[in-house]
Amino acid sequence: MNGAESLLTTLVNNGVEVCFTNPGTSEMHFVAALDEVEGMRCVLCLFEGVLSGAADGYARMARKPASTLLHLGPGLGNALANIHNAKKGHSPMVNIVGDHATYHLEYDAPLTADIEGIAGPVSHWYRSSATPADIAVDAKESVAAAGFGSIATLVLPADVSWGDNPGGAEGAAELPVPAPVADDHIAAVADKLRNASNGVLMIGGREITREQGLLLSRIGKACGARVMSETFPARWGRGAGSAVIERLPYLAEMAVDTLKDADVLVTIGCAAPVSFFAYPNVPSAIAPDGCEQLALAGPADDIGQALEVLGEKLGAADHQPDVNPLQPAEAPTGDLDAMTAGATLAHFLPENAIVVDEGATSSIACFPMTSTAAPHDWLNLTGGSIGWGLPAAVGAAIACPDRKVVCLEGDGSAMYTIQSLWTMARENLDVCVVLFNNRKYSILELEFSRTGARGGTPGPKAASVLDIGSPEMDFTAMARGMGVEATQATTAEEFNEQFSAAMARKGPCLIDCVLPTFLS
Ligand SMILES: Cc1ncc(C[n+]2csc(CCOP(=O)(O)OP(=O)(O)O)c2C)c(N)n1
């Protein structure tokens, strides 16, 4: 076996079955090994930001890492924004970064770069393999390091890839598991909640499962605490049959107001809430001064166990959870706008769908309206770096081929990684892209006034950089140009018809929803 074959075999032996890639010359032995080693699905993406977002979407739904294959420092650099989102969402990922042969580095050839410097800020674990004999062991350790929520980056020099590895592949690593939370810590949290006047339980982080939500609702009832989620948990099992959980608003002023009376705030899987940005005269921390904040469990802890024990201590079994009924919105009529689009989504969303939300201001009604829609999973943009939605939909669809993926996508956000459509077509993924075409960076218009810049009113130059309407973008043409079927909806009736048809068939499609900005 050469180094690349031993690497690939080791990844497969460790349950890494998908590689999202955009390779180059230094990765050719890895590419060659794909035909020699069974068990790795290789998915070509036409920009590294697509493949890292896809690896994130995959990990969230498969609950295990995919690998990426990246071309030296520049390829890794292109992938960074969505690795950042994955890191914020506690998604595991194994990045394989090809590099020049070890002896070639001293010549500083054009693609030579400081890979460690580029990888460092987004990687929990980093290693460059020194010899072909090391690569399989390093690969095994990289999967263990990625675990259930970390980013591992392993550099594969070309001579390590093509050299002989007499030791061959490694077997399965012992994978880390979430840490149980100590009983006395849970007892202390239970005490605080019992004595709180206005306690808040806030859940979030990697995933809110349906079961966790229901138990949390019982716990809230048992101790009289409000049950909330952070604003952007990575994955959330929602819809009919899930617990009623209040979501912390995005806008800092509203979030501060929501928590103004809290005297005890217990976080579960997420950090204490902070404002997304700083604004003049708005506090960074959302909870009021004097509110005691404590974590029941962090993202690396066993959330299920912590909730079980907390529930026992507070007598949660004696209480019924607040449950969302199945009560989808009526199919709307008339103008197509953010509100009617939300109603259409809620009305026609099929059971077990995966909703990827990068709809920005236009998907504002979609989230509340779908709380009583058919049961589904909802994925959020965790790191605020746009250009994630279409790639994440690719990854989610590959992780769950039997589930419908609905990608809510702002027109501005779509243009960062629009070539994801090509991968959807090539892999025939069951994704319906709902493209909210408001021809604006609408959220930035709001943010402009909120920051108080230029008295809150943009001048003509400032206004022009928030407007993406000229030239007008033809999203149906772009989709068709990449092999994805596309239609355009300009009324609620058209969207009803096109969205319901999309839900009834398999395969990728895009619906270009022409609507006004929600904030106008
Ligand atoms: C990588 C990155 N670049 C820039 C931004 C700043 N930004 C936030 S929202 C946004 C525009 C979003 O536009 P669109 O998707 O059309 O949604 P809308 O605001 O119109 O609802 C931009 C440019 C960002 N968050 N991430």
Side-chain angles (χ1 to χ4, degrees), residues 55-286:
D56 182 15
Y58 175 91
R60 293 192 199 190
M61 293 315 302
R63 300 193 181 102
K64 66 175 188 173
S67 57
T68 65
L69 179 64
L70 296 155
H71 188 50
L72 301 97
L76 174 63
N78 279 345
L80 278 201
N82 277 328
I83 302 178
H84 159 87
N85 285 325
K87 187 173 179 230
K88 292 285 184 182
H90 314 286
S91 290
M93 191 183 293
V94 177
N95 298 311
I96 308 294
V97 185
D99 196 5
H100 290 309
T102 48
Y103 59 82
H104 194 60
L105 285 174
E106 66 179 279
Y107 297 98
D108 196 24
L111 275 158
T112 309
D114 178 5
I115 299 180
E116 185 170 5
I118 297 167
V122 291
S123 304
H124 299 93
W125 181 97
Y126 174 89
R127 187 172 299 167
S128 182
S129 271
T131 73
D134 296 322
I135 186 68
V137 176
D138 291 343
K140 179 176 170 177
E141 286 182 25
S142 74
V143 181
F148 55 88
S150 301
I151 310 292
T153 301
L154 175 60
V155 176
L156 173 65
D159 52 341
V160 170
S161 193
W162 71 53
D164 260 2
N165 182 357
E170 290 287 316
E174 196 172 320
L175 295 178
V177 291
V181 179
D183 194 82
D184 56 348
H185 177 66
I186 301 175
V189 172
D191 262 357
K192 295 279 181 202
L193 284 165
R194 271 191 213 101
N195 296 322
S197 311
N198 287 298
V200 175
L201 288 158
M202 185 169 290
I203 193 166
R206 184 179 308 106
E207 180 175 0
I208 307 171
T209 67
R210 206 164 276 279
E211 297 71 30
Q212 288 167 2
L214 292 167
L215 178 52
L216 191 68
S217 179
R218 286 175 189 270
I219 295 172
K221 289 271 198 67
C223 65
R226 244 163 114 183
V227 171
M228 301 188 68
S229 87
E230 67 168 328
T231 312
F232 297 118
R235 173 179 173 178
W236 191 345
R238 307 177 66 239
S242 69
V244 176
I245 298 178
E246 200 183 336
R247 183 191 202 183
L248 188 73
Y250 162 75
L251 296 180
E253 299 88 325
M254 289 170 69
V256 166
D257 190 58
T258 303
L259 291 185
K260 66 178 187 305
D261 297 324
D263 60 347
V264 172
L265 172 65
V266 173
T267 53
I268 305 151
C270 58
V274 296
S275 175
F276 212 85
F277 294 103
Y279 304 92
N281 305 319
V282 176
S284 294
I286 297 295

Side-chain angles (χ1 to χ4, degrees), residues 174-440:
E174 196 172 320
L175 295 178
V177 291
V181 179
D183 194 82
D184 56 348
H185 177 66
I186 301 175
V189 172
D191 262 357
K192 295 279 181 202
L193 284 165
R194 271 191 213 101
N195 296 322
S197 311
N198 287 298
V200 175
L201 288 158
M202 185 169 290
I203 193 166
R206 184 179 308 106
E207 180 175 0
I208 307 171
T209 67
R210 206 164 276 279
E211 297 71 30
Q212 288 167 2
L214 292 167
L215 178 52
L216 191 68
S217 179
R218 286 175 189 270
I219 295 172
K221 289 271 198 67
C223 65
R226 244 163 114 183
V227 171
M228 301 188 68
S229 87
E230 67 168 328
T231 312
F232 297 118
R235 173 179 173 178
W236 191 345
R238 307 177 66 239
S242 69
V244 176
I245 298 178
E246 200 183 336
R247 183 191 202 183
L248 188 73
Y250 162 75
L251 296 180
E253 299 88 325
M254 289 170 69
V256 166
D257 190 58
T258 303
L259 291 185
K260 66 178 187 305
D261 297 324
D263 60 347
V264 172
L265 172 65
V266 173
T267 53
I268 305 151
C270 58
V274 296
S275 175
F276 212 85
F277 294 103
Y279 304 92
N281 305 319
V282 176
S284 294
I286 297 295
D289 290 347
C291 171
E292 189 168 354
Q293 302 187 37
L294 59 166
L296 172 71
D301 294 330
D302 188 340
I303 310 281
Q305 170 263 348
L307 285 176
E308 284 294 334
V309 177
L310 184 67
E312 280 160 24
K313 293 192 186 301
L314 292 170
D318 300 334
H319 297 266
Q320 290 306 313
D322 287 331
V323 177
N324 287 303
L326 180 61
Q327 218 168 65
E330 291 294 314
T333 56
D335 291 340
L336 180 60
D337 56 31
M339 301 309 287
T340 53
T344 301
L345 175 75
H347 185 84
F348 293 106
L349 192 70
E351 189 164 342
N352 220 18
I354 301 163
V355 180
V356 176
D357 183 10
E358 194 175 50
T361 59
S362 303
S363 68
I364 207 137
C366 295
F367 187 83
M369 281 196 184
T370 45
S371 60
T372 55
H376 60 274
D377 277 301
W378 190 282
L379 308 189
N380 283 307
L381 174 61
T382 47
S385 179
I386 60 174
W388 162 86
L390 295 172
V394 166
I398 286 175
C400 301
D402 300 328
R403 298 177 66 173
K404 176 67 85 179
V405 177
V406 176
C407 180
L408 307 175
E409 189 63 34
D411 50 355
S413 303
M415 289 306 293
Y416 286 65
T417 43
I418 192 74
Q419 59 278 66
S420 308
L421 294 170
W422 182 86
T423 301
M424 289 179 195
R426 178 177 156 109
E427 300 286 329
N428 194 26
L429 303 179
D430 196 10
V431 180
C432 171
V433 178
V434 176
L435 194 292
F436 291 127
N437 185 353
N438 64 10
R439 300 162 300 282
K440 292 268 189 203

